[in-house]
Amino acid sequence: MSNPNPIWKQHAFTVSHADQSAFAGAGLRPFFEYRELGIADATEGRFGAHVIRAVPGRESEAQWHTHDLDFQMVYVLQGWVVFEYEGQGEQILRAGSCVLQPSGIRHREVRHSSDLMLIEITSPAQFETTVTNAPGR
């Protein structure tokens, strides 16, 4: 018996080409630019995916914060980035590195290479970010 409501029918089909969608600076962090991949619209906001790249000449503000979401994964495409996580210390991610950030974990982006490019996948697409004190304070 076939499933009357296959999972793929819950989402729209979408394709995103690098030469047809530009990076924008209106993202969560001013030292990064974001290229939306069309996933948020196709899933009615249940998921989000974007490519993030470093803005030349801009440095991280290294601000501790948390995110209220169900899922957040980061995969580094090129360059490197240092994140610091509560209870995990500094983690150096380089091309090919992947991190799953649990909801609510205090973290900060410490520094990154000028050629950093990564993919971030979240659920939901839009989520709350809260600035916090450093762990132990």
Side-chain angles (χ1 to χ4, degrees):
M1 173 178 260
S2 66
N3 183 350
N5 189 19
I7 188 91
W8 66 267
K9 289 193 176 181
Q10 296 177 17
H11 309 296
F13 180 82
T14 186
V15 174
S16 176
H17 298 285
D19 61 350
Q20 296 174 348
S21 61
F23 280 87
L28 185 60
R29 305 277 172 245
F31 46 89
F32 288 149
E33 294 178 318
Y34 301 78
R35 183 170 75 85
E36 294 299 324
L37 299 177
I39 305 302
D41 289 342
T43 64
E44 297 179 347
R46 288 190 288 275
F47 300 92
H50 45 264
V51 179
I52 301 173
R53 71 179 179 192
V55 174
R58 298 290 304 262
E59 299 295 324
S60 169
E61 297 162 0
Q63 188 173 58
W64 287 96
H65 60 281
T66 63
H67 302 298
D68 182 18
L69 39 58
D70 297 321
F71 179 85
Q72 182 179 20
M73 186 202 87
V74 173
Y75 181 86
V76 179
L77 296 169
Q78 71 181 39
W80 56 267
V81 60
V82 177
F83 288 108
E84 185 174 8
Y85 295 96
E86 178 178 14
Q88 304 301 317
E90 286 192 2
Q91 302 293 317
I92 302 170
L93 306 177
R94 55 195 170 281
S97 296
C98 180
V99 64
L100 177 65
Q101 296 181 179
S103 180
I105 190 169
R106 279 190 279 191
H107 64 283
R108 65 183 181 155
E109 195 271 354
V110 179
R111 60 191 171 279
H112 58 266
S113 64
S114 61
D115 65 340
L116 175 66
M117 189 173 296
L118 55 87
I119 293 177
E120 181 180 56
I121 300 171
T122 65
S123 179
Q126 299 295 318
F127 51 87
E128 185 80 20
T129 296
T130 305
V131 173
T132 67
N133 291 325
R137 292 189 185 153

